[in-house]
Amino acid sequence: MMYLEKYKTFFRVPRDMVLIGAVVALVVLVVAAIFADVIARDGGDFIAFSPETSYRETKIYQSPGFEELASDGTIRKHVLGTDQQGRDVAARLIHGTRVALLVGGGSTMISLLIAIFLGSVAGYYGDRSIRYNLVDLFIGGGIVVMAVLLLTYNGVDVSGTIDIANVITILIGMGLLLFVTIRYSPIFFSRSHYLPLDTIVVKLLEVFRAIPGLFLILAIFSLIEKSSLWTVIWVIGILRWGTMTRILRAEMIRLKSEPFVASLKVSGLPDRIILLRHMLPNSIGPLIVSVCFYFSSAILIEASLSFLGIGVPIDIVSWGGMLNASRMYIGAWWMAIFPGALIFATILIFTVMGEWFKTSLKKGRWVRNLGHN
Amino acid sequence: MKETDLTKILEVEHLQISFEHNGVWSEVVRDISFELKKGQSLGVVGESGSGKTVASLSILNLLPSSGSKSSGRISVQIDGQSIDMLELEDPMIYEIRGKRISMVFQEPSSRLNPVRKCGDQVKEVLEVHNIGLPSERRDMVRSYLKKVALEDIDRIYNAYPYELSGGQLQRINIAIALITKPDIIICDEPTTGLDVTTQAEILALLDTIVKAENMAMLFISHDLDVVASICDSIVVVKDGIIIEYGHLPAVFHRPKEAYTRALLACKPRLDENQYALPTISAVIDGSYKRQLRNKKSIISDRILEVRDLTVSFWVGRSGFLSKDRKINAIDGISFSVNRGSALGIVGASGSGKSTLAHCIAGLIRPDAGTLEWANRPYDQEKLKRDTSLRRSIQMIFQDPYSSLDPIMTVGKAVEEPIRYHHIVPGEERLKYVEDLFEKVGLSRSHMNRMPHELSGGQRQRVCIARALGVRPELLICDESVTALDVSVQAQILNLLDQLSAELELTVIFISHDLSVVYQICDEVIVLQSGQIVERGSIDQVIGHPQDPYTRQLIRSIPGL
């Protein structure tokens, strides 16, 4: 007797098909971003304009389908029309993909790295497993002060760009000093105090949570005199590590009490191997879900900033900047509709992917849950 | 009236249940038929995976409606008419569940709502089934709580589940199941998670209530001895098929089938100490020969010394303005272990035996006392730095399902500590891991499997291989066979026994079950609330127990 096929959904697209659609769309976007210079260039086969065609009075605000006679005698078509400077909207949209994906990917990566570091350290070590002595405190405090000084004087120059080479050198130096402190100071001095790592991270999270994100970003951009694409990526990345850190910290606390972690400790494996090779891969599921949502919201923030006229400099094409330009002449509907639709579609892609991972995680299909099955 | 009392109240005919996994249907229950009369108690016995729990869930129509299908007939007699539970529609089912047929589950702590008072959870059943007047219900619950032998009813009524012990929670579960005076009660491994003394009490309680109320009981367990102490008929299930079905004394004393005989034989016993425990396959093919064990002679060479060890935990506050309380999980324990010997540590859950093991293995920092390894003191910090000492002390955990990294193949899991500690040169490592797998009774093909693809017993073998890979001197087994079936338990115990003799290991074996400890240990320590109440050689402690608590432990083992 079968009594399961009693209830059927009337109409339903299989979840996996939705994901495949999203992935295909994402691949198209990535290809467009990588080959933007090939797809949209002067005299190109697909779109015959570069995004920076020079200003001409006859070409401004032309609706989609406008054809013009080029200097070499061929007829070129503006498929999606032109903007207030006579530049091709389609070409600008394709070049704008680069900024969207770079900002989304770069800032998500920065948030992810911060979250992995702070979240796993706070969750794994907690408040009562790292001990320190006065020597540690002295050297550790010194490192922090040094890092702040170096970063302010060398890392960020006056024009607001961050010298990556400097930052990496400083980080490597700090890491080395920290390693020496952790490795050799207990041999000479006994460690007597607990370092409340978890409390420190949680308080930091609370402070960042208390400040409205967009306001903070606006405040920062008002301080930076001339922002570049990289400043936008850094600022969005650094300001939005909170949620991911909280997720990772919770995952680490859950995994920490799993017997397999205890058995790894008994095997004599050091904390870094347990953390990186065992606990992080086990918490990858929730991380991937939040990466997807981070990606889409970073793109949205970038678009909002460009719309407000801050953020990505005006000479770099971005979707938000195009929307901003469309405010000047409402009649040019193509200048608002096409970038808006593309922003919407990109966010939808990542949201769909995030939802797919989330439901798969719940079903235990994609990353198998711990233990019994 | 005698005849009506004996009418069949539950009849299961040719029950067949399949589950879908990744598009493949697999039959879990193939053909199970039995009947239950009023006042009768029927035991269903089988290993895990035999389909006994699934069959019992289907009686209450509790199987998930998608991904499973069932055929056959489960007819229940209610008010003179027969109802097929498999075809029952939603609103009707609530009339039967809890009111006519009740169920008591395994793991009492997870079966109660953690944020509601226990007494209210019992009362809720009365409200749902509209039994008694609202004003009387509270008193009904109180009188029933008294009936399930709970003391201090006022406190229990207002207690939240986390405040009570496993035994008390199971009594509350029994109260929830029985307060509606159902016709049938289904008990699904109700005592499996509990320790021996509590188990004996719960079984006695179930027995008295069921007899007094003349209910029919279906008792599901993997433990034949438990079933024998409470049921009058028995069904032995294997792979979804009934192997043997009959009255208990007949099945128990003159089993017809080899499988039943094997199931009976592989349980460790207190009355004889065998060289190796019989396993199911060995009994069935007749290769098992009973051989009593000779006790090893032990050289008096202290390898581990524990002195005045104290571990305390902070427990949450009991009230709004009260202070945090500190309880001693281990309270000043001292003992020593000789090289090559096997020490058993026995105690009820909560007696501190696991804490002690974690402390010796360096997972917990003790509050006071010292640990010495080969006459040199060590602590958690030293274990972290001194890799040779870290390697010497290895541990096997209770739950094989969660003591392996779920996303790493078991071959890699075994190899990892070997690579990290450079036990063997790189080119020989693979061969070394293969040898380890063979040594613990697995084949090379198991190396590429993920933990979830292995059975509980196989996983525990992997854990043993992992611990032995770094060539330890002391192996701590923390309830290492408790989560396993009786038959698998015998295999793992034999393996541990054989390997520890072969590799000259020192073993600390922790269990709540004296009969398991009896099989592999030379000496034993009995723990009660963090203190040693009795110690001595295993024969002496079991033959002539001095402490009343030890005597109670021995008495509670079912089947004696």
Side-chain angles (χ1 to χ4, degrees):
Chain A
M1 182 194 67
M2 305 266 291
Y3 58 116
L4 359 147
E5 271 98 55
K6 211 156 36 181
Y7 311 106
K8 271 195 171 163
T9 318
F10 175 63
F11 173 76
R12 159 164 193 265
V13 182
R15 263 169 18 92
D16 294 355
M17 292 307 290
V18 178
L19 178 81
I20 289 171
V23 170
V24 167
L26 180 61
V27 169
V28 168
L29 275 186
V30 170
V31 167
I34 292 172
F35 298 107
D37 287 334
V38 183
I39 298 168
R41 64 189 157 91
D42 268 323
D45 298 325
F46 303 101
I47 293 165
F49 304 95
S50 79
E52 306 296 339
T53 332
S54 56
Y55 175 83
R56 252 191 290 159
E57 198 63 50
T58 52
K59 267 179 72 181
I60 59 167
Y61 290 133
Q62 295 296 346
S63 54
F66 172 75
E67 290 174 351
E68 68 153 3
L69 193 67
S71 49
D72 57 0
T74 52
I75 291 174
R76 295 178 183 172
K77 193 173 179 184
H78 291 283
V79 186
L80 301 180
T82 61
D83 68 0
Q84 78 280 8
Q85 294 187 30
R87 298 173 297 197
D88 185 57
V89 170
R92 288 178 71 76
L93 278 181
I94 285 185
H95 281 260
T97 316
R98 270 186 183 175
V99 171
L101 292 186
L102 269 179
V103 170
S107 64
T108 306
M109 200 51 88
I110 290 166
S111 303
L112 187 66
L113 287 179
I114 296 174
I116 284 178
F117 181 71
L118 288 183
S120 52
V121 160
Y124 182 72
Y125 289 109
D127 274 347
R128 289 180 70 81
S129 51
I130 298 279
R131 292 203 276 185
Y132 69 96
N133 52 34
L134 286 178
V135 180
D136 294 337
L137 199 67
F138 186 69
I139 300 181
I143 290 173
V144 171
V145 171
M146 245 168 56
V148 170
L149 288 179
L150 280 171
L151 273 175
T152 24
Y153 285 109
N154 292 334
V156 189
D157 65 25
V158 191
S159 66
T161 54
I162 288 174
D163 188 342
I164 302 219
N166 261 339
V167 171
I168 290 173
T169 328
I170 291 164
L171 285 180
I172 290 174
M174 277 165 62
L176 270 175
L177 251 170
L178 217 59
F179 172 75
V180 172
T181 321
I182 289 168
R183 183 76 185 77
Y184 294 106
S185 97
I187 296 174
F188 304 110
F189 306 95
S190 77
R191 293 189 154 152
S192 44
H193 307 280
Y194 285 113
L195 183 66
L197 265 177
D198 195 31
T199 309
I200 292 172
V201 171
V202 170
K203 293 297 168 203
L204 206 60
L205 277 168
E206 282 167 5
V207 166
F208 266 84
R209 201 195 161 99
I211 306 169
L214 202 61
F215 276 111
L216 194 53
I217 292 178
L218 289 178
I220 287 176
F221 276 110
S222 67
L223 290 178
I224 295 171
E225 286 182 9
K226 184 172 167 288
S227 63
S228 72
L229 183 60
W230 295 110
T231 22
V232 174
I233 291 176
W234 276 97
V235 168
I236 296 180
I238 287 173
L239 288 181
R240 291 175 55 262
W241 50 277
T243 322
M244 230 188 261
T245 310
R246 259 195 296 278
I247 290 173
L248 204 62
R249 175 177 167 270
E251 276 292 298
M252 287 293 161
I253 290 172
R254 178 182 70 85
L255 286 168
K256 189 166 66 167
S257 57
E258 286 287 325
F260 82 84
V261 173
S263 82
L264 291 167
K265 279 188 193 160
V266 170
S267 300
L269 298 175
D271 289 340
R272 61 165 197 282
I273 289 191
I274 298 178
L275 263 175
L276 293 178
R277 203 185 290 160
H278 295 276
M279 289 172 76
L280 262 185
N282 268 299
S283 49
I284 198 105
L287 264 193
I288 286 198
V289 174
S290 60
V291 160
C292 289
F293 292 125
Y294 260 62
F295 217 107
S296 59
S297 70
I299 290 174
L300 197 62
I301 289 182
E302 185 275 319
S304 327
L305 290 178
S306 298
F307 181 75
L308 293 174
I310 52 177
V312 180
I314 202 91
D315 53 325
I316 301 177
V317 195
S318 85
W319 296 340
M322 294 172 73
L323 276 184
N324 188 16
S326 78
R327 284 183 307 155
M328 285 181 259
Y329 177 40
I330 300 295
W333 54 268
W334 57 92
M335 282 175 64
I337 295 290
F338 296 124
L342 212 49
I343 292 170
F344 168 73
T346 314
I347 289 166
L348 189 67
I349 288 171
F350 286 105
T351 312
V352 161
M353 283 169 64
E355 286 293 339
W356 186 87
F357 284 127
K358 202 161 94 185
T359 18
S360 301
L361 210 62
K362 266 191 203 142
K363 281 187 164 183
R365 174 166 83 169
W366 176 62
V367 171
R368 204 169 286 275
N369 285 337
L370 294 173
H372 317 257
N373 35 40
Chain B
M1 287 306 282
K2 191 83 182 157
E3 276 119 63
T4 43
D5 271 357
L6 279 173
T7 44
K8 283 181 255 175
I9 193 155
L10 169 75
E11 197 173 4
V12 175
E13 290 167 87
H14 305 294
L15 184 67
Q16 220 172 335
I17 300 167
S18 325
F19 281 102
E20 191 223 317
H21 184 69
N22 289 341
V24 184
W25 288 89
S26 53
E27 271 194 333
V28 177
V29 175
R30 288 197 216 157
D31 186 2
I32 285 184
S33 320
F34 57 83
E35 54 185 50
L36 195 58
K37 288 174 183 148
K38 204 158 191 185
Q40 189 192 16
S41 52
L42 176 71
V44 181
V45 179
E47 296 172 68
S48 45
S50 60
K52 54 189 193 314
T53 299
V54 172
S56 69
L57 286 176
S58 73
I59 295 174
L60 274 178
N61 209 337
L62 281 173
L63 293 180
S65 56
S66 63
S68 77
K69 59 183 176 190
S70 38
S71 66
R73 242 182 95 76
I74 298 174
S75 43
V76 182
Q77 295 290 332
I78 286 164
D79 300 334
Q81 52 175 327
S82 156
I83 292 173
D84 189 341
M85 288 301 289
L86 288 181
E87 290 184 5
L88 213 56
E89 294 287 331
D90 260 2
M92 273 294 286
I93 244 170
Y94 304 129
E95 281 297 299
I96 293 176
R97 275 187 203 157
K99 199 172 181 183
R100 301 296 187 158
I101 309 176
S102 295
M103 194 150 180
V104 179
F105 293 94
Q106 198 179 343
E107 277 186 69
S109 53
S110 58
R111 298 293 173 179
L112 289 172
N113 187 342
V115 295
R116 294 197 57 194
K117 289 175 182 169
C118 290
D120 288 342
Q121 297 195 43
V122 182
K123 201 172 82 178
E124 188 180 32
V125 187
L126 295 177
E127 284 158 5
V128 165
H129 294 293
N130 207 9
I131 297 171
L133 293 169
S135 53
E136 292 168 0
R137 281 179 190 144
R138 206 180 153 89
D139 291 328
M140 285 171 75
V141 170
R142 291 167 59 88
S143 69
Y144 214 90
L145 287 180
K146 212 171 274 170
K147 206 169 178 179
V148 295
L150 282 167
E151 290 160 8
D152 200 359
I153 304 295
D154 289 320
R155 189 179 74 85
I156 301 274
Y157 192 100
N158 290 317
Y160 291 97
Y162 72 90
E163 296 176 61
L164 303 180
S165 71
Q168 287 171 320
L169 290 177
Q170 196 61 299
R171 285 168 204 271
I172 286 166
N173 272 317
I174 290 173
I176 289 174
L178 297 184
I179 196 165
T180 55
K181 300 197 169 51
D183 302 329
I184 306 171
I185 168 168
I186 301 171
C187 302
D188 184 7
E189 307 246 12
T191 59
T192 303
L194 307 173
D195 50 69
V196 200
T197 41
T198 321
Q199 167 169 309
E201 290 164 15
I202 295 285
L203 288 177
L205 172 71
L206 273 174
D207 201 33
T208 30
I209 294 186
V210 166
K211 291 255 159 63
E213 309 258 346
N214 202 17
M215 295 171 185
M217 176 162 70
L218 196 63
F219 193 96
I220 294 146
S221 179
H222 69 279
D223 194 333
L224 259 174
D225 288 329
V226 168
V227 169
S229 65
I230 192 169
C231 297
D232 37 56
S233 307
I234 186 168
V235 177
V236 180
V237 185
K238 190 198 178 205
D239 298 336
I241 294 180
I242 289 184
I243 298 280
E244 197 154 354
Y245 178 24
H247 281 291
L248 183 93
V251 176
F252 211 71
H253 297 293
R254 295 178 298 282
K256 288 195 205 90
E257 300 291 326
Y259 180 74
T260 318
R261 262 204 305 284
L263 215 55
L264 278 167
C266 63
K267 181 100 205 266
R269 316 199 74 85
L270 269 186
D271 43 5
E272 55 186 29
N273 195 344
Q274 293 169 17
Y275 179 67
L277 285 169
T279 56
I280 290 214
S281 57
V283 175
I284 288 177
D285 64 21
S287 65
Y288 173 71
K289 296 209 174 42
R290 179 168 292 184
Q291 196 180 355
L292 292 186
R293 192 153 83 131
N294 297 324
K295 287 288 168 190
K296 283 180 279 185
S297 57
I298 301 152
I299 328 126
S300 174
D301 171 18
R302 281 182 185 177
I303 191 165
L304 178 75
E305 172 104 39
V306 175
R307 266 200 218 114
D308 301 326
L309 203 67
T310 303
V311 179
S312 49
F313 291 116
W314 288 99
V315 289
R317 308 183 301 178
S318 51
F320 175 55
L321 280 174
S322 60
K323 284 182 177 158
D324 282 357
R325 285 175 301 144
K326 200 178 192 182
I327 51 160
N328 283 354
I330 302 178
D331 202 355
I333 285 182
S334 313
F335 64 90
S336 62
V337 187
N338 288 325
R339 193 180 287 275
S341 71
L343 172 76
I345 298 177
V346 183
S349 51
S351 62
K353 51 191 196 314
S354 273
T355 313
L356 181 58
H358 282 69
C359 211
I360 295 171
L363 290 169
I364 299 178
R365 207 193 311 261
D367 292 65
T370 51
L371 294 162
E372 276 178 25
W373 178 260
N375 296 324
R376 291 225 302 277
Y378 74 92
D379 59 4
Q380 207 181 12
E381 297 287 317
K382 190 168 184 227
L383 272 176
K384 258 190 181 163
R385 283 199 302 273
D386 187 347
T387 48
S388 78
L389 178 62
R390 174 75 276 176
R391 270 170 34 205
S392 310
I393 305 175
Q394 288 295 308
M395 186 161 168
I396 301 168
F397 291 83
Q398 173 173 7
D399 188 0
Y401 296 94
S402 49
S403 50
L404 287 167
D405 187 344
I407 56 169
M408 188 177 247
T409 62
V410 293
K412 282 230 174 68
V414 173
E415 189 196 342
E416 194 182 27
I418 299 168
R419 187 175 55 210
Y420 181 74
H421 290 300
H422 308 292
I423 303 292
V424 287
E427 62 271 20
E428 291 169 31
R429 206 189 301 135
L430 189 66
K431 179 82 179 63
Y432 182 75
V433 175
E434 281 171 8
D435 288 346
L436 271 175
F437 266 75
E438 262 164 42
K439 209 180 259 174
V440 297
L442 295 169
S443 70
R444 282 172 58 180
S445 61
H446 287 108
M447 282 173 56
N448 291 325
R449 305 263 188 94
M450 301 302 274
H452 65 84
E453 294 174 300
L454 301 178
S455 69
Q458 285 170 327
R459 275 186 248 200
Q460 201 59 295
R461 283 168 197 271
V462 172
C463 293
I464 293 173
R466 188 185 158 92
L468 294 182
V470 293
R471 297 190 175 136
E473 289 173 66
L474 173 68
L475 192 62
I476 304 169
C477 306
D478 181 12
E479 299 262 17
S480 299
V481 296
T482 310
L484 304 172
D485 274 347
V486 188
S487 54
V488 186
Q489 183 177 318
Q491 295 170 12
I492 298 292
L493 282 176
N494 286 345
L495 179 71
L496 279 173
D497 204 15
Q498 172 216 334
L499 286 174
S500 65
E502 200 180 303
L503 304 170
E504 294 171 347
L505 288 174
T506 313
V507 177
I508 294 182
F509 197 93
I510 289 158
S511 179
H512 68 271
D513 192 345
L514 255 176
S515 54
V516 169
V517 167
Y518 186 52
Q519 288 306 316
I520 62 171
C521 293
D522 314 303
E523 282 177 274
V524 67
I525 286 175
V526 182
L527 280 187
Q528 191 190 13
S529 38
Q531 284 171 330
I532 298 179
V533 292
E534 184 151 7
R535 67 173 101 198
S537 80
I538 186 92
D539 295 313
Q540 184 201 328
V541 169
I542 286 177
H544 311 283
Q546 300 299 316
D547 191 82
Y549 180 70
T550 320
R551 272 184 235 135
Q552 193 193 343
L553 265 184
I554 296 175
R555 249 202 329 275
S556 330
I557 296 172
L560 270 179

